[in-house]
């Protein structure tokens, strides 16, 4: 193979690999909403928060039941 | 328009996202903390299930609306406590999510108002955003998914409060335009119009943080 051709082929191959790498890393979103949904899905609620809420609720008196809870209780 | 809440996805943190910090102040001493399910009142009225279903969206709204992970955590705690206290007032004429959002919005707005009064900060003139023009070339492209949270927060921080709120609410697929309109006390048409401008403003600002 002509050394010039081989060099050109190698260069093209490297460029393709580089471009593919960029495509893998980049992420495009069709809309602002889609982007925010992705962000929300990646955002973790602090694990300690559930216990903190539960502890606070444990110190609360039982709240009055809503109409639908009273309704279900009658059935 | 309702769509089930996504659950169990992989989480990635960056600087804009809160780090999980063990809450030693509320943990009793001993061999180990009792499980949450043992807590009185937690499972009664199905409140544990309500928390499980809605905490992610409530925390996310508070986080991106307030822009501060610690404040967002405190706000989420306070919102669920208020919800528990007011559970008897929940009439069921709106979805539980909408009801919780209402409490969250009121709570966060009060916090922001107090903060703004203390720091004498004003949002930029809202009319500036009316003319925001975004380039059409790959406007919402991020090179690293890790940077996403930081860039979104930076962008939301400079948007008018109303735009920020509308974008966060419409991103929740459980929320219809009508529900958002009721929550924000305006017509659905007004919501649509403002959302159009809010999206443009977001994209224009987002590109600046490339």
């Amino acid at each position: 193979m002509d050394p010039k051709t081989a060099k050109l082929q190698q260069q093209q191959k490297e460029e393709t690999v580089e471009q593919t790498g960029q495509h893998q890393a980049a992420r495009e979103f069709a809309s602002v909403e889609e982007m925010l949904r992705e962000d929300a899905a990646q955002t973790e609620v602090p694990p300690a928060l559930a216990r903190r809420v539960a502890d606070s609720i444990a110190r609360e008196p039982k709240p009055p039941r809503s109409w639908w809870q009273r309704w279900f209780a009658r059935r | 328009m309702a769509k089930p809440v996504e659950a169990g996805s992989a989480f990635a943190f960056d600087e804009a996202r809160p780090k999980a910090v063990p809450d030693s102040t509320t943990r009793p001493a001993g061999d180990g903390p009792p499980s949450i399910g043992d807590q009185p009142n937690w499972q009664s009225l199905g409140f544990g299930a309500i928390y499980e279903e809605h905490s992610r969206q409530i925390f996310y709204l508070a986080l991106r609306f307030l822009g501060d992970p610690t404040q967002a955590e405190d706000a989420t705690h306070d919102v669920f406590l208020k919800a528990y206290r007011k559970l008897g007032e929940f009439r069921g004429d709106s979805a539980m999510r909408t009801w919780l959002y209402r409490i969250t919005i009121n709570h966060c707005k009060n916090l922001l108002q107090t903060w703004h009064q203390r720091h004498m900060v004003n949002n930029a003139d809202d009319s500036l955003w009316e003319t925001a023009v975004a380039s059409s070339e790959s406007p919402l492209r991020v090179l690293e998914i890790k940077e996403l949270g930081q860039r979104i927060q930076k962008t939301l921080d400079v948007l008018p409060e109303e735009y920020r709120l509308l974008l966060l609410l419409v991103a929740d697929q459980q929320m219809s335009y009508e529900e958002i309109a009721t929550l924000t006390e305006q017509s659905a048409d007004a919501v649509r119009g403002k959302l159009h401008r809010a999206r443009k403003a977001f994209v224009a600002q987002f590109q600046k943080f490339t």
Side-chain angles (χ1 to χ4, degrees), chain B residues 30 80-81 198:
Chain B
F80 277 101
L81 195 56

Side-chain angles (χ1 to χ4, degrees), chain B residues 155-179:
Chain B
T155 305
L156 290 173
D157 284 349
V158 293
L159 291 190
E161 193 178 291
E162 188 177 24
Y163 285 6
R164 197 158 68 214
L165 181 60
L166 289 174
L167 286 171
L168 289 168
L169 289 175
V170 80
D172 184 344
Q173 289 177 300
Q174 284 194 18
M175 297 295 291
S176 67
Y177 281 110
E178 285 70 25
E179 283 171 318

Side-chain angles (χ1 to χ4, degrees), chain B residues 49-71:
Chain B
I50 291 172
Y51 179 88
E52 279 302 310
E53 189 177 347
H54 303 288
S55 57
R56 177 188 293 268
Q57 284 305 130
I58 297 303
F59 176 72
Y60 182 71
L61 177 66
L63 175 67
R64 293 293 176 234
F65 195 56
L66 297 170
D68 182 289
T70 309
Q71 269 198 336

Side-chain angles (χ1 to χ4, degrees), chain A residues 11-74:
Chain A
Q11 204 176 335
Q12 281 173 343
K13 198 176 164 185
E14 280 170 11
E15 276 173 11
T16 310
V17 169
E18 236 171 65
Q19 282 169 1
T20 311
Q22 275 180 2
H23 282 302
Q24 280 172 347
R27 171 81 196 265
E28 272 183 38
F29 297 93
S31 66
V32 177
E33 287 93 320
E34 190 192 314
M35 178 183 267
L36 292 174
R37 278 195 287 274
E38 173 70 26
D39 185 39
Q42 288 190 46
T43 302
E44 186 183 11
V45 181
L49 186 56
R51 165 162 296 282
R52 195 176 150 201
V53 175
D55 285 348
S56 297
I57 284 175
R59 291 190 288 269
E60 292 284 313
K62 209 167 185 174
R65 289 187 304 177
S66 64
W67 67 266
W68 53 271
Q69 285 168 329
R70 290 195 297 270
W71 188 77
F72 275 117
R74 277 208 307 268

Side-chain angles (χ1 to χ4, degrees), chain B residues 119-171:
Chain B
H119 294 84
M120 300 289 285
V121 172
N122 280 321
N123 259 344
D125 183 359
D126 287 3
S127 62
L128 288 175
W129 298 105
E130 307 297 313
T131 54
V133 178
S135 154
S136 59
E137 191 185 323
S138 299
L140 296 172
R141 187 169 186 266
V142 283
L143 278 179
E144 292 278 344
I145 206 74
K146 250 171 59 180
E147 67 171 331
L148 184 64
Q150 281 174 297
R151 278 184 67 186
I152 286 176
Q153 190 64 63
K154 280 183 187 173
T155 305
L156 290 173
D157 284 349
V158 293
L159 291 190
E161 193 178 291
E162 188 177 24
Y163 285 6
R164 197 158 68 214
L165 181 60
L166 289 174
L167 286 171
L168 289 168
L169 289 175
V170 80

